Amino acid sequence: MATSTTTGDGTGLVEMAWDPITRIVGSLGIHTKIDFKQKRVAECYSTSSVFRGYSVFMRGKDPRDAHFITSRICGICGDNHATCSVYTQNMAYGVKPPHLAEWIINLGESAEYMFDHNIFQENLVGVDYCEKMVRETNPGVLELAERTEAPHAAEHGYRTIADIMRSLNPLEGEFYREALQVSRYTREMFCLMEGRHVHPSTLYPGGVGTIGSVQLFTDYMSRLMRYVEFMKRVVPLHDDLFDFFYEALPGYEEVGRRRVLLGCWGALNDPEYCDFTYANMSDWGRRMFVTPGVIVDGKLVTNDLTEINLGIRILLGSSYYEDWEGQEQFVTHDPLGNPVDPRHPWNQHTIPAPQKRNFDDKYSWVMSPRWFDGKEHLPLDTGGGPIARLWSTALSGLVDIGYVKATGHSVVINLPRTLTKPETTFEWKIPRWSNALERNRARTYFQAYAAAVALHCAEMGLAEVRAGRTQTWEKFEVPDESIGVGFTEAVRGVLSHHLVIRDGKIANYHPYPPTPWNASTRDTYGTPGPYEDAVQNTPIFEENPPENFKGIDIMRAVRSFDPCLPCGVHMYVGGGRTVKSMHVPTGLSGLAG
Amino acid sequence: MNAASPATREEPDASGAPGTDEKPIHILWINAGLSCDGDSVALTAAMQPSIEEIALGGLPGLPKIAVHWPLIDFECGPVGGSDTFIEWFFKGERGEIDPFVLVIEGSIPNEAIKQEGYWCGFGDNPETGQPITTSEWIDRLAPKALAVVAIGTCATYGGIHAMAGNPTGAMGVPDYLGWDWKSQAGIPIVCVPGCPIQPDNFAETLTYLLYQAAGSAPMIPLDDKLRPTWLFGATVHEGCDRAGYYEQGQFATTYDSPKCLVKVGCWGPVVKCNVPKRGWMAGIGGCPNVGGICIACTMPGFPDKFMPFMDEPPGGRFSSTASGAYGAVIRRLRTITAKTVDKEPKWRHTGREITTGYRPPW
């Protein structure tokens, strides 16, 4: 790459782009302008360079194909799409699966959380905090880590913080390799329930094809208890690591920080209450084992799925699509008679308009989903999923299943005795900030949460089997005209599927996974998306001068959201050029050439 | 993954493998076709062998490798700065990392059908500041590659993103490069289909190619659709443990039945895939063997020729009717035999006499 080897004098802004960003899923580009004198990121643009067009090619297809197709949206959380699609179809067809099927799906989805958060946390994000990375970016911090005893060494076995960091070194690190193995047996758990990973084979509208047997639950439970034991080491390990960064780098709470604007659409249905009808959605939504919620500045705005549904808006502004204003509106009112906005996913038309990238105008294939609270179009984020899930569940105080209890200000997770470790209780308390470290910490706690909920679901499922209620699928008819919506929490956060059926075929289908919210671009009102917003506020703690700069603080900020796109982040900094003016009409990356 | 490939960083060999001067084989992985990264993710589940065993030389005779794989790569510096991941692809183009294997994940959109912009890009062109399209990378790198490997049904045959009605004109790598294309080393495009790939299927193919590159294995055997023959030679049905029900004419009418699923949408009898035989991972999971209809996700005709997935395949009706009639007779006969073999022989009993046929000498 033809970049100059000398840098500016440090007084101006320097452009840097990271593209493609590694250790995430898909391709994300982050383009920034960095003020090295102030040690802050001045500007940030998030761009994605892959378009596939699911909403386009699904039109006219048989609605029963939807979960098989939409699973392919994502290679790490495709099962979340399949699940969400099945929920959507259940509503549209008016079918309620047998209880055992719902417990089986919950166990599959819990295993997905356990697998995905584990591999991402240790093998992708963990590398940002490993000894090799810290040595290359903040040698002073590593030196301190060598001298700092880990407070929970007794639980996890690493004497110093530097020992933890070393264990996270790619491939060479012991914990890094162990986590890879954990990501495998958790996927075995998943495959027991949903057939195969990541695109399930045994999920259907109306239930599952999995045979509910004693063996199924024994095979799952044996692995689950190994994971429970693993979490008893991992939660204290990450607490030690993340707490150390606050201590080693005063002010680190500002990295990746943004206003508390969190969304959670709820996950893991309770079959006792969930009948998949729109009319009862507010009620069964509140019975989910992860409570839905919109949180603004620390306050719960709503935990009502119907309200959440009606507030969703899809804005354009900086993305490569033509607006659908004036096009046919598929759904004017929901089944309860509430008006549905033309910018709601039920009414969206996806009209791709490929064009050159221009950071002053259109620069991404990602749209700008927002949540309208009646006054403002809020750029909610999911914080990668876990922080929003725990926050929402904690505030609502509705979940109480023994293994997990929401208190109104925290979530208490009770893990039973395992092979070599006693009964252990963890309490996730609402943090002071929505920042990179707290997103990461929540990810670890949510792994324990998912395991705890799985214990409950496994007991309930096995009780069904023991009672002889082994049916796992219910017949249904596809109506000629219908609509459906499904809500769940993908691993990375909010996931909704909106379906319109006409003449027995898909007339409209719009899935909204978490990453469109997090990676969204500046909307019609000029409001930046969450990555852009969080990175723009990020101070730089890295010790390297611009010519050796890696941008680790920026990468930590971005990865804390657990990006899952189809294409990289761009930021041009490295040995880059000094930008004379803030206005760069040709696009940031052009300056590197 | 470069941490495990010290040669690429000009550091001492930390893997402890003998022959530290050996030049590594680079693996350049482009995940930016129209993809979901599901094949990258699936490969991390492989255990026969695992990615760490491949990267650290855990099998005897494997050549040293340096993997440039977006999913778990250590490197992620700013473009043009330190540790720039994309720089390896420019090095490949400039011939500085010979030899390299090019792995492509995701289907290849047709970039010619529109006025401007890009359907998918990977890294930026320093001249224009615009993304470099994935097809342009293939044009630049394929002629210099030791081998081109297409991972997943999207990259091999177009897959789900090449479904009827798609806006991008997506296709597989052989459609793009030509089915007769051969690398400079004379190796055809190697296709490992699957949506996603069965983890060990890909790990095994990659291992085979590394052995071939090291000179210890002959040319990889591929069929006319460029699939490894030892993995894709048999059908789903031939390896499905529900085939017994088929033979006996016992067909599921609901999805939660343990019987054969062909009448509720399973395409297994005509699909080349080893999943029921091999399991998904560690012998666990699968498709029709565990209650999931085969939607034929490894096939060139996927998905259009198999939709709607939950309907009975038209060809299945005739053969299942035939096996229904034949199977009813077979089942009756088997029931008789089954009763007989379900009983122990009569000489297993208590008492003073032995009736096994042994004549006691006392």
mmCIF file with all atom_site columns, all heavy atoms in Angstrom, chain A residues 52 62 103 117 227-228 246 294 395 409 426 462 512 545 554 575 587 590:
data_model
loop_
_atom_site.group_PDB
_atom_site.id
_atom_site.type_symbol
_atom_site.label_atom_id
_atom_site.label_alt_id
_atom_site.label_comp_id
_atom_site.label_asym_id
_atom_site.label_entity_id
_atom_site.label_seq_id
_atom_site.pdbx_PDB_ins_code
_atom_site.Cartn_x
_atom_site.Cartn_y
_atom_site.Cartn_z
_atom_site.occupancy
_atom_site.B_iso_or_equiv
_atom_site.pdbx_formal_charge
_atom_site.auth_seq_id
_atom_site.auth_comp_id
_atom_site.auth_asym_id
_atom_site.auth_atom_id
_atom_site.pdbx_PDB_model_num
ATOM 1   N N   . ARG A 1 52  ? -26.495 -9.152  -0.564 1.00 0.00 ? 52  ARG A N   1
ATOM 2   C CA  . ARG A 1 52  ? -26.956 -10.431 -1.094 1.00 0.00 ? 52  ARG A CA  1
ATOM 3   C C   . ARG A 1 52  ? -28.422 -10.401 -1.506 1.00 0.00 ? 52  ARG A C   1
ATOM 4   O O   . ARG A 1 52  ? -28.806 -11.056 -2.457 1.00 0.00 ? 52  ARG A O   1
ATOM 5   C CB  . ARG A 1 52  ? -26.698 -11.534 -0.057 1.00 0.00 ? 52  ARG A CB  1
ATOM 6   C CG  . ARG A 1 52  ? -25.212 -11.660 0.289  1.00 0.00 ? 52  ARG A CG  1
ATOM 7   C CD  . ARG A 1 52  ? -24.958 -12.500 1.516  1.00 0.00 ? 52  ARG A CD  1
ATOM 8   N NE  . ARG A 1 52  ? -25.688 -11.965 2.658  1.00 0.00 ? 52  ARG A NE  1
ATOM 9   C CZ  . ARG A 1 52  ? -25.664 -12.498 3.871  1.00 0.00 ? 52  ARG A CZ  1
ATOM 10  N NH1 . ARG A 1 52  ? -24.954 -13.574 4.098  1.00 0.00 ? 52  ARG A NH1 1
ATOM 11  N NH2 . ARG A 1 52  ? -26.352 -11.959 4.858  1.00 0.00 ? 52  ARG A NH2 1
ATOM 12  N N   . ASP A 1 62  ? -42.434 -20.166 -1.301 1.00 0.00 ? 62  ASP A N   1
ATOM 13  C CA  . ASP A 1 62  ? -43.312 -20.796 -0.323 1.00 0.00 ? 62  ASP A CA  1
ATOM 14  C C   . ASP A 1 62  ? -42.894 -20.340 1.077  1.00 0.00 ? 62  ASP A C   1
ATOM 15  O O   . ASP A 1 62  ? -41.712 -20.438 1.416  1.00 0.00 ? 62  ASP A O   1
ATOM 16  C CB  . ASP A 1 62  ? -43.182 -22.323 -0.460 1.00 0.00 ? 62  ASP A CB  1
ATOM 17  C CG  . ASP A 1 62  ? -44.244 -23.074 0.340  1.00 0.00 ? 62  ASP A CG  1
ATOM 18  O OD1 . ASP A 1 62  ? -44.381 -22.792 1.557  1.00 0.00 ? 62  ASP A OD1 1
ATOM 19  O OD2 . ASP A 1 62  ? -44.932 -23.929 -0.237 1.00 0.00 ? 62  ASP A OD2 1
ATOM 20  N N   . TRP A 1 103 ? -39.082 -26.565 24.484 1.00 0.00 ? 103 TRP A N   1
ATOM 21  C CA  . TRP A 1 103 ? -37.928 -26.784 25.371 1.00 0.00 ? 103 TRP A CA  1
ATOM 22  C C   . TRP A 1 103 ? -36.707 -27.180 24.548 1.00 0.00 ? 103 TRP A C   1
ATOM 23  O O   . TRP A 1 103 ? -35.588 -26.754 24.840 1.00 0.00 ? 103 TRP A O   1
ATOM 24  C CB  . TRP A 1 103 ? -38.232 -27.856 26.426 1.00 0.00 ? 103 TRP A CB  1
ATOM 25  C CG  . TRP A 1 103 ? -39.335 -27.478 27.386 1.00 0.00 ? 103 TRP A CG  1
ATOM 26  C CD1 . TRP A 1 103 ? -40.492 -28.152 27.608 1.00 0.00 ? 103 TRP A CD1 1
ATOM 27  C CD2 . TRP A 1 103 ? -39.380 -26.317 28.243 1.00 0.00 ? 103 TRP A CD2 1
ATOM 28  N NE1 . TRP A 1 103 ? -41.265 -27.490 28.539 1.00 0.00 ? 103 TRP A NE1 1
ATOM 29  C CE2 . TRP A 1 103 ? -40.608 -26.367 28.946 1.00 0.00 ? 103 TRP A CE2 1
ATOM 30  C CE3 . TRP A 1 103 ? -38.517 -25.235 28.475 1.00 0.00 ? 103 TRP A CE3 1
ATOM 31  C CZ2 . TRP A 1 103 ? -40.997 -25.389 29.865 1.00 0.00 ? 103 TRP A CZ2 1
ATOM 32  C CZ3 . TRP A 1 103 ? -38.896 -24.261 29.394 1.00 0.00 ? 103 TRP A CZ3 1
ATOM 33  C CH2 . TRP A 1 103 ? -40.114 -24.349 30.078 1.00 0.00 ? 103 TRP A CH2 1
ATOM 34  N N   . HIS A 1 117 ? -20.746 -17.052 22.202 1.00 0.00 ? 117 HIS A N   1
ATOM 35  C CA  . HIS A 1 117 ? -20.083 -16.102 23.105 1.00 0.00 ? 117 HIS A CA  1
ATOM 36  C C   . HIS A 1 117 ? -18.719 -16.622 23.524 1.00 0.00 ? 117 HIS A C   1
ATOM 37  O O   . HIS A 1 117 ? -17.765 -15.863 23.646 1.00 0.00 ? 117 HIS A O   1
ATOM 38  C CB  . HIS A 1 117 ? -20.945 -15.837 24.340 1.00 0.00 ? 117 HIS A CB  1
ATOM 39  C CG  . HIS A 1 117 ? -22.137 -14.979 24.047 1.00 0.00 ? 117 HIS A CG  1
ATOM 40  N ND1 . HIS A 1 117 ? -22.090 -13.921 23.159 1.00 0.00 ? 117 HIS A ND1 1
ATOM 41  C CD2 . HIS A 1 117 ? -23.407 -15.000 24.522 1.00 0.00 ? 117 HIS A CD2 1
ATOM 42  C CE1 . HIS A 1 117 ? -23.295 -13.339 23.105 1.00 0.00 ? 117 HIS A CE1 1
ATOM 43  N NE2 . HIS A 1 117 ? -24.102 -13.980 23.918 1.00 0.00 ? 117 HIS A NE2 1
ATOM 44  N N   . TYR A 1 227 ? -19.811 -27.516 30.957 1.00 0.00 ? 227 TYR A N   1
ATOM 45  C CA  . TYR A 1 227 ? -19.787 -26.084 30.649 1.00 0.00 ? 227 TYR A CA  1
ATOM 46  C C   . TYR A 1 227 ? -20.036 -25.259 31.916 1.00 0.00 ? 227 TYR A C   1
ATOM 47  O O   . TYR A 1 227 ? -19.405 -24.231 32.133 1.00 0.00 ? 227 TYR A O   1
ATOM 48  C CB  . TYR A 1 227 ? -20.851 -25.771 29.595 1.00 0.00 ? 227 TYR A CB  1
ATOM 49  C CG  . TYR A 1 227 ? -20.764 -24.364 29.028 1.00 0.00 ? 227 TYR A CG  1
ATOM 50  C CD1 . TYR A 1 227 ? -19.876 -24.078 27.995 1.00 0.00 ? 227 TYR A CD1 1
ATOM 51  C CD2 . TYR A 1 227 ? -21.576 -23.332 29.495 1.00 0.00 ? 227 TYR A CD2 1
ATOM 52  C CE1 . TYR A 1 227 ? -19.793 -22.810 27.454 1.00 0.00 ? 227 TYR A CE1 1
ATOM 53  C CE2 . TYR A 1 227 ? -21.503 -22.056 28.955 1.00 0.00 ? 227 TYR A CE2 1
ATOM 54  C CZ  . TYR A 1 227 ? -20.608 -21.802 27.932 1.00 0.00 ? 227 TYR A CZ  1
ATOM 55  O OH  . TYR A 1 227 ? -20.529 -20.549 27.397 1.00 0.00 ? 227 TYR A OH  1
ATOM 56  N N   . VAL A 1 228 ? -20.958 -25.710 32.742 1.00 0.00 ? 228 VAL A N   1
ATOM 57  C CA  . VAL A 1 228 ? -21.236 -25.011 33.997 1.00 0.00 ? 228 VAL A CA  1
ATOM 58  C C   . VAL A 1 228 ? -19.954 -24.940 34.834 1.00 0.00 ? 228 VAL A C   1
ATOM 59  O O   . VAL A 1 228 ? -19.598 -23.887 35.372 1.00 0.00 ? 228 VAL A O   1
ATOM 60  C CB  . VAL A 1 228 ? -22.369 -25.723 34.778 1.00 0.00 ? 228 VAL A CB  1
ATOM 61  C CG1 . VAL A 1 228 ? -22.468 -25.203 36.203 1.00 0.00 ? 228 VAL A CG1 1
ATOM 62  C CG2 . VAL A 1 228 ? -23.712 -25.540 34.066 1.00 0.00 ? 228 VAL A CG2 1
ATOM 63  N N   . TYR A 1 246 ? -9.315  -1.164  33.897 1.00 0.00 ? 246 TYR A N   1
ATOM 64  C CA  . TYR A 1 246 ? -9.747  0.087   34.541 1.00 0.00 ? 246 TYR A CA  1
ATOM 65  C C   . TYR A 1 246 ? -8.641  0.625   35.439 1.00 0.00 ? 246 TYR A C   1
ATOM 66  O O   . TYR A 1 246 ? -8.403  1.827   35.522 1.00 0.00 ? 246 TYR A O   1
ATOM 67  C CB  . TYR A 1 246 ? -10.997 -0.147  35.397 1.00 0.00 ? 246 TYR A CB  1
ATOM 68  C CG  . TYR A 1 246 ? -12.287 -0.312  34.617 1.00 0.00 ? 246 TYR A CG  1
ATOM 69  C CD1 . TYR A 1 246 ? -13.154 -1.366  34.891 1.00 0.00 ? 246 TYR A CD1 1
ATOM 70  C CD2 . TYR A 1 246 ? -12.661 0.608   33.637 1.00 0.00 ? 246 TYR A CD2 1
ATOM 71  C CE1 . TYR A 1 246 ? -14.352 -1.517  34.206 1.00 0.00 ? 246 TYR A CE1 1
ATOM 72  C CE2 . TYR A 1 246 ? -13.857 0.465   32.942 1.00 0.00 ? 246 TYR A CE2 1
ATOM 73  C CZ  . TYR A 1 246 ? -14.693 -0.598  33.226 1.00 0.00 ? 246 TYR A CZ  1
ATOM 74  O OH  . TYR A 1 246 ? -15.886 -0.740  32.548 1.00 0.00 ? 246 TYR A OH  1
ATOM 75  N N   . VAL A 1 294 ? -36.680 -1.873  26.029 1.00 0.00 ? 294 VAL A N   1
ATOM 76  C CA  . VAL A 1 294 ? -35.938 -0.752  25.458 1.00 0.00 ? 294 VAL A CA  1
ATOM 77  C C   . VAL A 1 294 ? -35.467 0.080   26.644 1.00 0.00 ? 294 VAL A C   1
ATOM 78  O O   . VAL A 1 294 ? -36.279 0.431   27.510 1.00 0.00 ? 294 VAL A O   1
ATOM 79  C CB  . VAL A 1 294 ? -36.823 0.096   24.521 1.00 0.00 ? 294 VAL A CB  1
ATOM 80  C CG1 . VAL A 1 294 ? -36.086 1.360   24.095 1.00 0.00 ? 294 VAL A CG1 1
ATOM 81  C CG2 . VAL A 1 294 ? -37.251 -0.709  23.305 1.00 0.00 ? 294 VAL A CG2 1
ATOM 82  N N   . LEU A 1 395 ? -33.757 -5.032  34.945 1.00 0.00 ? 395 LEU A N   1
ATOM 83  C CA  . LEU A 1 395 ? -34.689 -3.929  35.253 1.00 0.00 ? 395 LEU A CA  1
ATOM 84  C C   . LEU A 1 395 ? -36.127 -4.417  35.375 1.00 0.00 ? 395 LEU A C   1
ATOM 85  O O   . LEU A 1 395 ? -36.872 -3.933  36.227 1.00 0.00 ? 395 LEU A O   1
ATOM 86  C CB  . LEU A 1 395 ? -34.595 -2.855  34.158 1.00 0.00 ? 395 LEU A CB  1
ATOM 87  C CG  . LEU A 1 395 ? -33.412 -1.894  34.215 1.00 0.00 ? 395 LEU A CG  1
ATOM 88  C CD1 . LEU A 1 395 ? -33.492 -0.900  33.059 1.00 0.00 ? 395 LEU A CD1 1
ATOM 89  C CD2 . LEU A 1 395 ? -33.369 -1.136  35.552 1.00 0.00 ? 395 LEU A CD2 1
ATOM 90  N N   . HIS A 1 409 ? -32.446 -4.701  39.824 1.00 0.00 ? 409 HIS A N   1
ATOM 91  C CA  . HIS A 1 409 ? -31.200 -3.960  39.629 1.00 0.00 ? 409 HIS A CA  1
ATOM 92  C C   . HIS A 1 409 ? -30.041 -4.895  39.268 1.00 0.00 ? 409 HIS A C   1
ATOM 93  O O   . HIS A 1 409 ? -28.923 -4.448  39.033 1.00 0.00 ? 409 HIS A O   1
ATOM 94  C CB  . HIS A 1 409 ? -30.844 -3.184  40.896 1.00 0.00 ? 409 HIS A CB  1
ATOM 95  C CG  . HIS A 1 409 ? -30.639 -4.092  42.085 1.00 0.00 ? 409 HIS A CG  1
ATOM 96  N ND1 . HIS A 1 409 ? -31.686 -4.521  42.872 1.00 0.00 ? 409 HIS A ND1 1
ATOM 97  C CD2 . HIS A 1 409 ? -29.543 -4.692  42.571 1.00 0.00 ? 409 HIS A CD2 1
ATOM 98  C CE1 . HIS A 1 409 ? -31.224 -5.352  43.806 1.00 0.00 ? 409 HIS A CE1 1
ATOM 99  N NE2 . HIS A 1 409 ? -29.922 -5.470  43.648 1.00 0.00 ? 409 HIS A NE2 1
ATOM 100 N N   . PHE A 1 426 ? -23.272 -16.152 40.914 1.00 0.00 ? 426 PHE A N   1
ATOM 101 C CA  . PHE A 1 426 ? -22.733 -14.914 40.336 1.00 0.00 ? 426 PHE A CA  1
ATOM 102 C C   . PHE A 1 426 ? -23.855 -13.890 40.276 1.00 0.00 ? 426 PHE A C   1
ATOM 103 O O   . PHE A 1 426 ? -25.005 -14.240 40.017 1.00 0.00 ? 426 PHE A O   1
ATOM 104 C CB  . PHE A 1 426 ? -22.206 -15.149 38.916 1.00 0.00 ? 426 PHE A CB  1
ATOM 105 C CG  . PHE A 1 426 ? -21.036 -16.088 38.847 1.00 0.00 ? 426 PHE A CG  1
ATOM 106 C CD1 . PHE A 1 426 ? -21.129 -17.283 38.143 1.00 0.00 ? 426 PHE A CD1 1
ATOM 107 C CD2 . PHE A 1 426 ? -19.842 -15.774 39.476 1.00 0.00 ? 426 PHE A CD2 1
ATOM 108 C CE1 . PHE A 1 426 ? -20.040 -18.153 38.073 1.00 0.00 ? 426 PHE A CE1 1
ATOM 109 C CE2 . PHE A 1 426 ? -18.747 -16.628 39.412 1.00 0.00 ? 426 PHE A CE2 1
ATOM 110 C CZ  . PHE A 1 426 ? -18.855 -17.822 38.707 1.00 0.00 ? 426 PHE A CZ  1
ATOM 111 N N   . LEU A 1 462 ? -37.129 -32.895 30.038 1.00 0.00 ? 462 LEU A N   1
ATOM 112 C CA  . LEU A 1 462 ? -37.037 -34.286 30.480 1.00 0.00 ? 462 LEU A CA  1
ATOM 113 C C   . LEU A 1 462 ? -38.322 -34.704 31.213 1.00 0.00 ? 462 LEU A C   1
ATOM 114 O O   . LEU A 1 462 ? -38.784 -35.844 31.087 1.00 0.00 ? 462 LEU A O   1
ATOM 115 C CB  . LEU A 1 462 ? -35.807 -34.477 31.368 1.00 0.00 ? 462 LEU A CB  1
ATOM 116 C CG  . LEU A 1 462 ? -35.456 -35.913 31.754 1.00 0.00 ? 462 LEU A CG  1
ATOM 117 C CD1 . LEU A 1 462 ? -35.327 -36.811 30.522 1.00 0.00 ? 462 LEU A CD1 1
ATOM 118 C CD2 . LEU A 1 462 ? -34.160 -35.960 32.553 1.00 0.00 ? 462 LEU A CD2 1
ATOM 119 N N   . TYR A 1 512 ? -34.572 -8.390  10.520 1.00 0.00 ? 512 TYR A N   1
ATOM 120 C CA  . TYR A 1 512 ? -33.674 -7.372  11.082 1.00 0.00 ? 512 TYR A CA  1
ATOM 121 C C   . TYR A 1 512 ? -32.833 -7.922  12.221 1.00 0.00 ? 512 TYR A C   1
ATOM 122 O O   . TYR A 1 512 ? -33.244 -7.959  13.367 1.00 0.00 ? 512 TYR A O   1
ATOM 123 C CB  . TYR A 1 512 ? -34.427 -6.091  11.486 1.00 0.00 ? 512 TYR A CB  1
ATOM 124 C CG  . TYR A 1 512 ? -34.448 -5.181  10.295 1.00 0.00 ? 512 TYR A CG  1
ATOM 125 C CD1 . TYR A 1 512 ? -35.495 -5.205  9.402  1.00 0.00 ? 512 TYR A CD1 1
ATOM 126 C CD2 . TYR A 1 512 ? -33.343 -4.400  9.999  1.00 0.00 ? 512 TYR A CD2 1
ATOM 127 C CE1 . TYR A 1 512 ? -35.462 -4.459  8.240  1.00 0.00 ? 512 TYR A CE1 1
ATOM 128 C CE2 . TYR A 1 512 ? -33.294 -3.654  8.840  1.00 0.00 ? 512 TYR A CE2 1
ATOM 129 C CZ  . TYR A 1 512 ? -34.354 -3.689  7.973  1.00 0.00 ? 512 TYR A CZ  1
ATOM 130 O OH  . TYR A 1 512 ? -34.300 -2.966  6.821  1.00 0.00 ? 512 TYR A OH  1
ATOM 131 N N   . PRO A 1 545 ? 3.284   5.385   18.353 1.00 0.00 ? 545 PRO A N   1
ATOM 132 C CA  . PRO A 1 545 ? 3.124   6.594   17.551 1.00 0.00 ? 545 PRO A CA  1
ATOM 133 C C   . PRO A 1 545 ? 2.357   6.266   16.266 1.00 0.00 ? 545 PRO A C   1
ATOM 134 O O   . PRO A 1 545 ? 2.214   5.088   15.930 1.00 0.00 ? 545 PRO A O   1
ATOM 135 C CB  . PRO A 1 545 ? 4.572   6.985   17.228 1.00 0.00 ? 545 PRO A CB  1
ATOM 136 C CG  . PRO A 1 545 ? 5.342   5.705   17.283 1.00 0.00 ? 545 PRO A CG  1
ATOM 137 C CD  . PRO A 1 545 ? 4.654   4.852   18.315 1.00 0.00 ? 545 PRO A CD  1
ATOM 138 N N   . ILE A 1 554 ? -9.566  1.323   19.259 1.00 0.00 ? 554 ILE A N   1
ATOM 139 C CA  . ILE A 1 554 ? -10.691 1.401   18.320 1.00 0.00 ? 554 ILE A CA  1
ATOM 140 C C   . ILE A 1 554 ? -11.216 -0.003  18.028 1.00 0.00 ? 554 ILE A C   1
ATOM 141 O O   . ILE A 1 554 ? -12.423 -0.246  18.007 1.00 0.00 ? 554 ILE A O   1
ATOM 142 C CB  . ILE A 1 554 ? -10.241 2.101   17.022 1.00 0.00 ? 554 ILE A CB  1
ATOM 143 C CG1 . ILE A 1 554 ? -9.861  3.547   17.332 1.00 0.00 ? 554 ILE A CG1 1
ATOM 144 C CG2 . ILE A 1 554 ? -11.316 2.043   15.960 1.00 0.00 ? 554 ILE A CG2 1
ATOM 145 C CD1 . ILE A 1 554 ? -8.958  4.180   16.322 1.00 0.00 ? 554 ILE A CD1 1
ATOM 146 N N   . GLY A 1 575 ? 0.734   5.441   9.468  1.00 0.00 ? 575 GLY A N   1
ATOM 147 C CA  . GLY A 1 575 ? 1.714   6.207   8.718  1.00 0.00 ? 575 GLY A CA  1
ATOM 148 C C   . GLY A 1 575 ? 1.007   7.042   7.686  1.00 0.00 ? 575 GLY A C   1
ATOM 149 O O   . GLY A 1 575 ? 1.523   7.297   6.610  1.00 0.00 ? 575 GLY A O   1
ATOM 150 N N   . GLY A 1 587 ? -13.814 10.447  -0.352 1.00 0.00 ? 587 GLY A N   1
ATOM 151 C CA  . GLY A 1 587 ? -13.829 9.202   0.428  1.00 0.00 ? 587 GLY A CA  1
ATOM 152 C C   . GLY A 1 587 ? -12.514 9.037   1.130  1.00 0.00 ? 587 GLY A C   1
ATOM 153 O O   . GLY A 1 587 ? -11.444 9.293   0.578  1.00 0.00 ? 587 GLY A O   1
ATOM 154 N N   . GLY A 1 590 ? -9.331  7.001   -0.180 1.00 0.00 ? 590 GLY A N   1
ATOM 155 C CA  . GLY A 1 590 ? -8.570  7.526   -1.305 1.00 0.00 ? 590 GLY A CA  1
ATOM 156 C C   . GLY A 1 590 ? -7.288  8.191   -0.868 1.00 0.00 ? 590 GLY A C   1
ATOM 157 O O   . GLY A 1 590 ? -6.305  8.242   -1.609 1.00 0.00 ? 590 GLY A O   1
#
